[in-house]
Amino acid sequence: MTRPHVLLSVAVSLDGHIDDRGTERFPLSNAEDFDHVDRLRAESDAILAGAETLRRDNARLLVYSDERRAQRTADGKPEFPLRVTVTRSGQLDPELRFWHCGGDRLVYTRSAGTTVDHLAETKTFSEFSEIVDDLGARGVRKLMVEGGTSIHTAFLQAGLADEIRVAVAPMLIGQATAPRFVNPAEFPGGPARRFHLEDVTKVGDVAVLRYFPKVTSERA
């Protein structure tokens, strides 16, 4: 079985936060970076976000560019990548925008049932490796993971991430309880292990870093 290439995508402030404590999503990135993320979505076979991200952001996980969607269709692909969410409880609001736009949807849950069985295919799982294996069996070759914190933590803790795209925004959130990229966890190799830095790109006032966490960097 061929597992997909797993890309974690995240925007962080200089002090390591992915959002503030407000009720509305805090825009860390800029228009140029949002467009680059849209391109990465268009190049993906599936886009995954956790249930909490859907709840907090009312996220749709769409490809917004008409041109990119048309190119996907011309290439024989669905107009939109498969949109995936992960939920422990299975309790998801059927009114979220995620269920009412775009193409196919898939729910992985640790619960016996969900409140959205009628809106999407649902599948139970125990380990995150099962999600990656199942997506690979469905023909997904590139999976883009857009958070949130617990989802990114789970993929990294299980050693499932092939690439991390970090957009570093030139600002400070400064709130101790604001959400961060990952939660405390036991990660493969521990704190001494250094990821390979593939490249750094300036996108407006944002620095985009690409890391390959399965490749260990040599110490200087």
Side-chain angles (χ1 to χ4, degrees):
M1 182 184 299
T2 302
R3 283 181 168 178
H5 177 91
V6 177
L7 165 66
L8 307 190
S9 177
V10 64
V12 300
S13 62
L14 281 172
D15 53 345
H17 295 286
I18 61 171
D19 205 349
D20 67 359
R21 294 181 306 192
T23 57
E24 300 293 329
R25 180 69 174 172
F26 187 82
L28 285 168
S29 200
N30 57 33
E32 295 163 276
D33 185 55
F34 285 133
D35 183 68
H36 189 233
V37 168
D38 193 66
R39 178 177 66 78
L40 291 174
R41 286 182 176 185
E43 293 171 354
S44 301
D45 300 305
I47 306 168
L48 183 151
E52 188 56 36
T53 296
L54 300 192
R55 296 185 189 104
R56 181 178 175 85
D57 301 342
N58 207 1
R60 292 179 288 180
L61 307 184
L62 299 176
V63 175
Y64 291 101
S65 165
D66 294 338
E67 181 180 349
R68 290 176 182 133
R69 294 201 308 272
Q71 185 60 56
R72 285 181 57 87
T73 302
D75 292 340
K77 299 178 180 179
E79 181 181 5
F80 294 97
L82 174 66
R83 294 175 303 130
V84 183
T85 191
V86 180
T87 169
R88 295 186 190 90
S89 68
Q91 302 301 302
L92 290 159
D93 184 353
E95 298 303 315
L96 290 172
R97 295 186 298 176
F98 180 81
W99 312 112
H100 304 288
C101 60
D104 292 339
R105 299 168 293 273
L106 176 60
V107 179
Y108 290 101
T109 177
R110 285 189 167 135
S111 173
T114 75
T115 55
V116 291
D117 290 5
H118 60 297
L119 295 173
E121 178 186 354
T122 63
K123 189 174 179 67
T124 58
F125 78 102
S126 298
E127 305 293 337
F128 273 73
S129 59
E130 297 171 26
I131 294 176
V132 175
D133 287 339
D134 185 64
L135 289 172
R138 294 169 184 264
V140 172
R141 295 295 169 259
K142 184 172 183 180
L143 171 64
M144 186 172 181
V145 179
E146 298 198 20
T149 301
S150 62
I151 298 296
H152 280 148
T153 303
F155 272 89
L156 287 166
Q157 190 174 18
L160 296 171
D162 298 288
E163 182 177 347
I164 309 172
R165 179 192 188 273
V166 184
V168 183
M171 60 184 69
L172 300 168
I173 299 296
Q175 300 169 349
T177 58
R180 293 184 175 274
F181 173 31
V182 293
N183 290 319
E186 294 289 334
F187 296 109
R193 183 161 180 268
R194 303 169 71 91
F195 296 165
H196 169 70
L197 175 63
E198 179 65 13
D199 60 48
V200 181
T201 304
K202 181 181 178 184
V203 182
D205 63 353
V206 168
V208 177
L209 291 71
R210 288 177 63 220
Y211 289 99
F212 292 171
K214 292 183 180 179
V215 181
T216 301
S217 171
E218 295 293 333
R219 287 187 178 274

